[in-house]
Amino acid sequence: MSKLLSTAKTEVLFMGNEAIARGALEAGLSVATGYPGTPSSEVIETLAAVAKERKLYVEWSTNEKVALEVAAAASFAGLRSMCVMKQNGVNVASDFLLHLTASGTRGGIVLVTCEDPGALSSVNEGESRYFARMLEIPLLEPANFQEAKDLTKWAFELSEKIRNVVILRSVTRMSHASGNVICGKLPNKFRAARFVYDGLITDPLRGPVISTPVVAKHTLQQKKLKKAVELFEDSPFNSYSGPRHPELLIITSSVCYLYSREALGMLGLQKRVGILKLGCTWPLSAKLLKKYLRLTDKIMIVEEVLPFLEENVKIVAAGMLKEIGIKTFYGKMDGTLPSVGELNPDLVVHALGKIMKVQYKSLTESYMKEIKKIARLIPDRELTFCPGCPHRASFWSINTALQLDGRGGFVCGDIGCYAMAALFPAIGFNTVRTLHSMGSGTGLASGFAKLSAFGLDKPILAVCGDSTFYHAVIPALINAQHNRADITFIVLDNAGTAMTGFQPHPGLAVSAMGESVPDVDIAEICSAIGAKVAISDPFDLEGTSRTLTSFMAESGSLKVLILRQICALSPEKKGKKKYLMQVDEELCLGENCGCNRLCTRIFRCPALTWDRIKKKAAVDEVICAGCGVCYSICPQKAIMRTEATN
Amino acid sequence: MKKLLTKDPTNIIITGVGGQGNVLASRVLAGMLVSAGYFVTIGETFGMSQRGGSVMSHLRISSKSALSPQIPQGRADIIIALEPVEALRVLVKYGNPAVAVLSNSRVVYPIGVITGDFVYPSLDEIESALEKLTTHSWLIDATGAAVELGNPVLGNIVLIGALANTAMLPFDRHSFEREIAKDMSADMRKLNLAAFDAGAKMI
Amino acid sequence: MAFRAKKLSSQKLLKKGVLEEELCTGCGACVGLCPYQVIYHDRTVQLHYCDLEDGKCYAFCPRTPTDLSALRELLFNSDDLTPEIGAVKSYYFSRAADSRLRASAQHGGTVTALMELALAEGLIDSAIVSSCSQEFLPKGTVVNEKAALRNNAGSKFTVSPTVAAFNQSVNDKSGQIGVVATPCQALALAKMKTRPQEDESGKINQLQLVIGLYCGWTLSAEKFTKLLAQNSIALNSLKGMDIPAGKNILELYTNNGIRAVPFDDVQACVRESCRYCLDSTAEYADISVGSARFGNDWEEMRRWNQLIVRTAKGKELVELAVKNGALEIREAPADSLQELKKAAIEKKNTALKNIIRKSGSTKNLLYLDRHDPIVQKFLKNKASDKECR
């Protein structure tokens, strides 16, 4: 049984995302939607696993905008719904979000955003807290795992009290961290959907759901926000702990609260510094802040990544200077804390130490000296494509084709495991030259291809994965076709949303809840758009580079090559090897080959290692996935492959 | 009788290479300790680093309260490593003279070593480093034992078994049996127990 | 603190010094040695980055700095050396004795006849020649039978990376090899001979015989294809080409008859690297063969070859061929050697002029050694030309 269904009062070890899911269940959730994105994906995954028992509808939508629209529909019909995404996704959903907060909502609806300060699994460390301020939506941030559950549950209540969407913000160190949580009650009543729309256009609860008349609805929206602030004033999620007369007041939210508390412990400052933990971080309650800003004239704000809380606290403080006095603020804006990257207890200790003039006793000099010496022994461990990854083979062929073509063509990259080809150029064989957001590779390529009129005459390629294709690439592809941008577009179809954990997408005939559903074929979409389409197996290096070379030589049309081969880690593959690989030590000339170790130095498969003693290549049978591609690259044909009998 | 923690909080780091079963190991360990009545906070990254990069799980065990999911530098009490150079990598950042290290001896070469850009330290150098930086260390061939049982990924469970016999933490074979009974089939339980026992034997 | 600049890899040097400078002749010497360089159409392509120094690719390339006087010393008798056309032991007109052979040949069929004989007499076990122009882009191919040799006879006007075929096909089992080579290819093969003998492959020791071809220039496949398209000539209808003496055209033999293209148009399609080549008679071969064309006797002379014997090995082969009745030789007409030397001088002067223009200085002669006595002779001539004006 999933621990998400644990009985009330049980203490369970929940991941932050699981706690959020549990909180939503306790609130009587009916519909959950999202798009996979680290660190958010587990919320939807765990809900999908209990969808049957809890009578939920759970969906992986094609992108975050659609996901929010689907969740909104449920809310309009009086159900409680949740939409989950990573920080990038809020940008994608933002146009709809803008109109949603203007039209208002009915059933409680919570937008959960799981952000990635420090970009541990992203190519940005953007923030969505500002959307709350800009779109005038209440913002909640849980500061520990118990709150991740409780605050989520309360978010639905808040949403229904003010009839607007509520944003709940988490970060990697909350979402992917785990801690003890005491469960609450799961409801045993399930709502029925009812969409009322006969009322006047000005009636947000009974009329059509619409953001007009704009000024009237905007006025209403601002009233809702004021109501939220009143509720924040007495909320148990905002709390102070510390001395009655602190020398320094820390104002913090999210996991930074745990860092701050730990830092105080490490420096022994618990009796001198107080912490105001805010769970409701937009709008800020002036009444609440006044109470605590009065306590001392030194205020330190600990948050990540941008100084959102800091700016807002200062704005509130500026409005009440007469009552609270002049304050000194420490935070990001004055350089006390770093302005980029994620925080941790050590950074907070360092900052606190400076302000409170306390030294943190760390390790002895002699130990530090030893550490320095040993640190020099440690080799970097770079990321690379997994053994058996089709992307390695795809980029190998793309490089071959680009070199043979000789005009200096390049690839516009996109988001997925294959993004690593841009992040670590050597594993993409130096072919990918741009990387931005989902679907942007094709858009950029569509732009580059029109620059031949300005003298840029090179073959332009774009890549994307199968999941990314449905998310954002289609409009860019249509753009390329319609505007006659001569690009070669390559779909790296490994049958799943691999980087985030194999969530299904419209290219697969299965849904988030495991049901059999129709798939939407990529090749057919591209043909319908009018492109010339070919399908190839990326493990066939020669065939793939031949097709690419001929595509690049053809001008005047949109060409699509779909490289189809299942991901090496796909659960469907069950770790089965197609081939057994071995290096023939007689045939391998090792360092005397003159190939300058093409197999290990250039190909970069972690299963193809170099035996330092024999000075020859060797296959690591434990991690080899048996894809057989390395057989084709050795000029001596020293890498043997035999069919595996599974 | 509830076994006590020798130090409160106890900070444990489980480290290895993405794909070695780091996450499962931390879950199993955490599960056993939660059942024993402790507050456990785990900090993990399941992102891109799973693609052959270095991964770490930080476990904070306390009888009093929840802690930050990131262990401060120099504050690890126990380091469990699925790969030897990762043990060193973690030691260098989180080690202190009182730390204990239990590590797998099986090497997974970083791609930079395979290409010849970097040099992987010798076993001697690793052993010497462990000696200099820890109060106690063990290097065992967990992967070897796992391969004998038919699946190299069981190396993580072998290490858990070994950890049990170091008696540094309040859990034993009994706790492990109860923990795996929650989610695993009978066949899987048998295999995992065999791995646990193989590891325990090595200490 | 001492600071040592990192030496560039051979591959990088090759790229910077030859490929990017458009000096690459497409001879194929750098291809087939490793997986990094390939020939695609008539371009040399580097697929991946190699960081080895002292590589064979750089050492074998005929357009990297070369000590030509050392090569000459190694291969030829100094008494035989001429500044214009290299070593000359003897100079004849020749043609294949077999008239059927002559019929399928470009001119006199001498090259094919000599290779056939060398094979028949066991002097070589196989020959590497450029493949028949059925495929527009020729490549090196290994043959060890008469019929195959004859099928591949005929001049090719785009470069064949024949040396790549040598690199790839020579192994323990291929025995002694003979190669038909253009001047740049002959030079590459000669450079291979000067590699230290501890070179583990030792393949070069299997090279027994090089028959060189006179060459003025070769065409860029890309440009020539465009030219043909402009003249509505389908690539696959092309059977052969020739440059009749005295007329300013290129004759194209197609399935639909003979077409002529103005020579000026063809000139524009010449491969860039040819402009920097000083060798019109394959000076580094054992034997060099060209067309006997000169002036008014074109129609008569078109079925004969010029033949230069340069080495003892070459002499041996020619004498054997004459003795066995495979080859007919006759004394060359009085002024033909003169004409040949004149043409050779012109090519050398033009090339030097182009080289100096490219490098911007008489002190930088790209791949040539400006201290080479032969190079100096021609430089001086140029200088005196200037002064005369």
PDB file of all heavy atoms in Angstrom, chain A residues 99-116:
ATOM      1  N   HIS A  99      -4.815  35.470 -16.593  1.00  0.00           N
ATOM      2  CA  HIS A  99      -6.257  35.571 -16.831  1.00  0.00           C
ATOM      3  C   HIS A  99      -7.050  34.806 -15.798  1.00  0.00           C
ATOM      4  O   HIS A  99      -8.183  35.170 -15.482  1.00  0.00           O
ATOM      5  CB  HIS A  99      -6.575  35.082 -18.243  1.00  0.00           C
ATOM      6  CG  HIS A  99      -5.970  35.955 -19.298  1.00  0.00           C
ATOM      7  ND1 HIS A  99      -4.671  35.841 -19.700  1.00  0.00           N
ATOM      8  CD2 HIS A  99      -6.503  37.008 -19.979  1.00  0.00           C
ATOM      9  CE1 HIS A  99      -4.408  36.767 -20.600  1.00  0.00           C
ATOM     10  NE2 HIS A  99      -5.499  37.492 -20.795  1.00  0.00           N
ATOM     11  N   LEU A 100      -6.449  33.747 -15.255  1.00  0.00           N
ATOM     12  CA  LEU A 100      -7.131  32.946 -14.251  1.00  0.00           C
ATOM     13  C   LEU A 100      -7.369  33.744 -12.968  1.00  0.00           C
ATOM     14  O   LEU A 100      -8.448  33.697 -12.370  1.00  0.00           O
ATOM     15  CB  LEU A 100      -6.332  31.675 -13.943  1.00  0.00           C
ATOM     16  CG  LEU A 100      -6.957  30.688 -12.963  1.00  0.00           C
ATOM     17  CD1 LEU A 100      -8.239  30.112 -13.550  1.00  0.00           C
ATOM     18  CD2 LEU A 100      -5.982  29.558 -12.641  1.00  0.00           C
ATOM     19  N   THR A 101      -6.342  34.489 -12.547  1.00  0.00           N
ATOM     20  CA  THR A 101      -6.530  35.242 -11.300  1.00  0.00           C
ATOM     21  C   THR A 101      -7.496  36.397 -11.522  1.00  0.00           C
ATOM     22  O   THR A 101      -8.088  36.905 -10.582  1.00  0.00           O
ATOM     23  CB  THR A 101      -5.211  35.805 -10.746  1.00  0.00           C
ATOM     24  OG1 THR A 101      -4.852  36.978 -11.483  1.00  0.00           O
ATOM     25  CG2 THR A 101      -4.108  34.811 -10.811  1.00  0.00           C
ATOM     26  N   ALA A 102      -7.644  36.809 -12.753  1.00  0.00           N
ATOM     27  CA  ALA A 102      -8.592  37.883 -13.038  1.00  0.00           C
ATOM     28  C   ALA A 102     -10.008  37.341 -13.092  1.00  0.00           C
ATOM     29  O   ALA A 102     -10.940  37.958 -12.581  1.00  0.00           O
ATOM     30  CB  ALA A 102      -8.229  38.551 -14.357  1.00  0.00           C
ATOM     31  N   SER A 103     -10.176  36.158 -13.676  1.00  0.00           N
ATOM     32  CA  SER A 103     -11.530  35.604 -13.753  1.00  0.00           C
ATOM     33  C   SER A 103     -11.977  35.059 -12.403  1.00  0.00           C
ATOM     34  O   SER A 103     -13.163  34.977 -12.110  1.00  0.00           O
ATOM     35  CB  SER A 103     -11.574  34.468 -14.782  1.00  0.00           C
ATOM     36  OG  SER A 103     -10.935  33.313 -14.267  1.00  0.00           O
ATOM     37  N   GLY A 104     -10.974  34.690 -11.599  1.00  0.00           N
ATOM     38  CA  GLY A 104     -11.296  34.063 -10.317  1.00  0.00           C
ATOM     39  C   GLY A 104     -11.543  32.581 -10.490  1.00  0.00           C
ATOM     40  O   GLY A 104     -11.666  32.078 -11.608  1.00  0.00           O
ATOM     41  N   THR A 105     -11.600  31.860  -9.368  1.00  0.00           N
ATOM     42  CA  THR A 105     -11.794  30.414  -9.407  1.00  0.00           C
ATOM     43  C   THR A 105     -12.931  30.025  -8.471  1.00  0.00           C
ATOM     44  O   THR A 105     -13.500  30.880  -7.797  1.00  0.00           O
ATOM     45  CB  THR A 105     -10.503  29.690  -8.966  1.00  0.00           C
ATOM     46  OG1 THR A 105     -10.155  30.150  -7.646  1.00  0.00           O
ATOM     47  CG2 THR A 105      -9.347  29.999  -9.908  1.00  0.00           C
ATOM     48  N   ARG A 106     -13.272  28.745  -8.462  1.00  0.00           N
ATOM     49  CA  ARG A 106     -14.398  28.305  -7.616  1.00  0.00           C
ATOM     50  C   ARG A 106     -13.923  27.256  -6.640  1.00  0.00           C
ATOM     51  O   ARG A 106     -13.631  27.582  -5.491  1.00  0.00           O
ATOM     52  CB  ARG A 106     -15.540  27.827  -8.501  1.00  0.00           C
ATOM     53  CG  ARG A 106     -16.042  29.005  -9.337  1.00  0.00           C
ATOM     54  CD  ARG A 106     -17.225  28.681 -10.205  1.00  0.00           C
ATOM     55  NE  ARG A 106     -17.570  29.868 -11.000  1.00  0.00           N
ATOM     56  CZ  ARG A 106     -18.487  29.874 -11.953  1.00  0.00           C
ATOM     57  NH1 ARG A 106     -19.150  28.771 -12.250  1.00  0.00           N
ATOM     58  NH2 ARG A 106     -18.746  30.982 -12.611  1.00  0.00           N
ATOM     59  N   GLY A 107     -13.771  25.985  -7.075  1.00  0.00           N
ATOM     60  CA  GLY A 107     -13.185  24.979  -6.185  1.00  0.00           C
ATOM     61  C   GLY A 107     -11.749  25.388  -5.886  1.00  0.00           C
ATOM     62  O   GLY A 107     -11.110  26.065  -6.700  1.00  0.00           O
ATOM     63  N   GLY A 108     -11.243  24.984  -4.722  1.00  0.00           N
ATOM     64  CA  GLY A 108      -9.876  25.372  -4.368  1.00  0.00           C
ATOM     65  C   GLY A 108      -8.886  24.878  -5.406  1.00  0.00           C
ATOM     66  O   GLY A 108      -8.943  23.732  -5.838  1.00  0.00           O
ATOM     67  N   ILE A 109      -7.997  25.767  -5.835  1.00  0.00           N
ATOM     68  CA  ILE A 109      -6.983  25.361  -6.803  1.00  0.00           C
ATOM     69  C   ILE A 109      -5.636  25.902  -6.363  1.00  0.00           C
ATOM     70  O   ILE A 109      -5.497  27.087  -6.023  1.00  0.00           O
ATOM     71  CB  ILE A 109      -7.332  25.798  -8.256  1.00  0.00           C
ATOM     72  CG1 ILE A 109      -6.168  25.529  -9.206  1.00  0.00           C
ATOM     73  CG2 ILE A 109      -7.805  27.226  -8.315  1.00  0.00           C
ATOM     74  CD1 ILE A 109      -6.501  25.731 -10.669  1.00  0.00           C
ATOM     75  N   VAL A 110      -4.669  25.013  -6.327  1.00  0.00           N
ATOM     76  CA  VAL A 110      -3.329  25.374  -5.863  1.00  0.00           C
ATOM     77  C   VAL A 110      -2.329  25.119  -6.978  1.00  0.00           C
ATOM     78  O   VAL A 110      -2.313  24.038  -7.574  1.00  0.00           O
ATOM     79  CB  VAL A 110      -2.934  24.535  -4.624  1.00  0.00           C
ATOM     80  CG1 VAL A 110      -1.525  24.892  -4.166  1.00  0.00           C
ATOM     81  CG2 VAL A 110      -3.921  24.771  -3.490  1.00  0.00           C
ATOM     82  N   LEU A 111      -1.500  26.110  -7.254  1.00  0.00           N
ATOM     83  CA  LEU A 111      -0.406  25.949  -8.218  1.00  0.00           C
ATOM     84  C   LEU A 111       0.861  25.677  -7.418  1.00  0.00           C
ATOM     85  O   LEU A 111       1.301  26.516  -6.640  1.00  0.00           O
ATOM     86  CB  LEU A 111      -0.256  27.227  -9.053  1.00  0.00           C
ATOM     87  CG  LEU A 111       0.975  27.326  -9.962  1.00  0.00           C
ATOM     88  CD1 LEU A 111       1.041  26.171 -10.944  1.00  0.00           C
ATOM     89  CD2 LEU A 111       0.966  28.629 -10.728  1.00  0.00           C
ATOM     90  N   VAL A 112       1.394  24.475  -7.568  1.00  0.00           N
ATOM     91  CA  VAL A 112       2.599  24.118  -6.827  1.00  0.00           C
ATOM     92  C   VAL A 112       3.805  24.310  -7.731  1.00  0.00           C
ATOM     93  O   VAL A 112       3.875  23.735  -8.813  1.00  0.00           O
ATOM     94  CB  VAL A 112       2.535  22.651  -6.357  1.00  0.00           C
ATOM     95  CG1 VAL A 112       3.834  22.250  -5.673  1.00  0.00           C
ATOM     96  CG2 VAL A 112       1.356  22.450  -5.406  1.00  0.00           C
ATOM     97  N   THR A 113       4.734  25.143  -7.313  1.00  0.00           N
ATOM     98  CA  THR A 113       5.958  25.290  -8.077  1.00  0.00           C
ATOM     99  C   THR A 113       7.144  24.827  -7.232  1.00  0.00           C
ATOM    100  O   THR A 113       7.323  25.261  -6.099  1.00  0.00           O
ATOM    101  CB  THR A 113       6.153  26.735  -8.601  1.00  0.00           C
ATOM    102  OG1 THR A 113       7.536  26.929  -8.923  1.00  0.00           O
ATOM    103  CG2 THR A 113       5.726  27.763  -7.594  1.00  0.00           C
ATOM    104  N   CYS A 114       7.931  23.903  -7.800  1.00  0.00           N
ATOM    105  CA  CYS A 114       9.111  23.373  -7.120  1.00  0.00           C
ATOM    106  C   CYS A 114      10.331  23.915  -7.836  1.00  0.00           C
ATOM    107  O   CYS A 114      10.572  23.569  -8.993  1.00  0.00           O
ATOM    108  CB  CYS A 114       9.106  21.850  -7.151  1.00  0.00           C
ATOM    109  SG  CYS A 114       7.622  21.161  -6.421  1.00  0.00           S
ATOM    110  N   GLU A 115      11.069  24.781  -7.154  1.00  0.00           N
ATOM    111  CA  GLU A 115      12.155  25.494  -7.806  1.00  0.00           C
ATOM    112  C   GLU A 115      13.512  24.863  -7.557  1.00  0.00           C
ATOM    113  O   GLU A 115      13.657  24.009  -6.690  1.00  0.00           O
ATOM    114  CB  GLU A 115      12.132  26.952  -7.342  1.00  0.00           C
ATOM    115  CG  GLU A 115      10.733  27.537  -7.483  1.00  0.00           C
ATOM    116  CD  GLU A 115      10.694  29.031  -7.380  1.00  0.00           C
ATOM    117  OE1 GLU A 115      11.515  29.604  -6.645  1.00  0.00           O
ATOM    118  OE2 GLU A 115       9.844  29.626  -8.046  1.00  0.00           O
ATOM    119  N   ASP A 116      14.480  25.324  -8.302  1.00  0.00           N
ATOM    120  CA  ASP A 116      15.795  24.681  -8.303  1.00  0.00           C
ATOM    121  C   ASP A 116      16.917  25.693  -8.090  1.00  0.00           C
ATOM    122  O   ASP A 116      17.716  25.922  -9.000  1.00  0.00           O
ATOM    123  CB  ASP A 116      15.956  23.934  -9.630  1.00  0.00           C
ATOM    124  CG  ASP A 116      17.155  23.003  -9.652  1.00  0.00           C
ATOM    125  OD1 ASP A 116      17.769  22.799  -8.583  1.00  0.00           O
ATOM    126  OD2 ASP A 116      17.487  22.508 -10.736  1.00  0.00           O
TER     127      ASP A 116
END
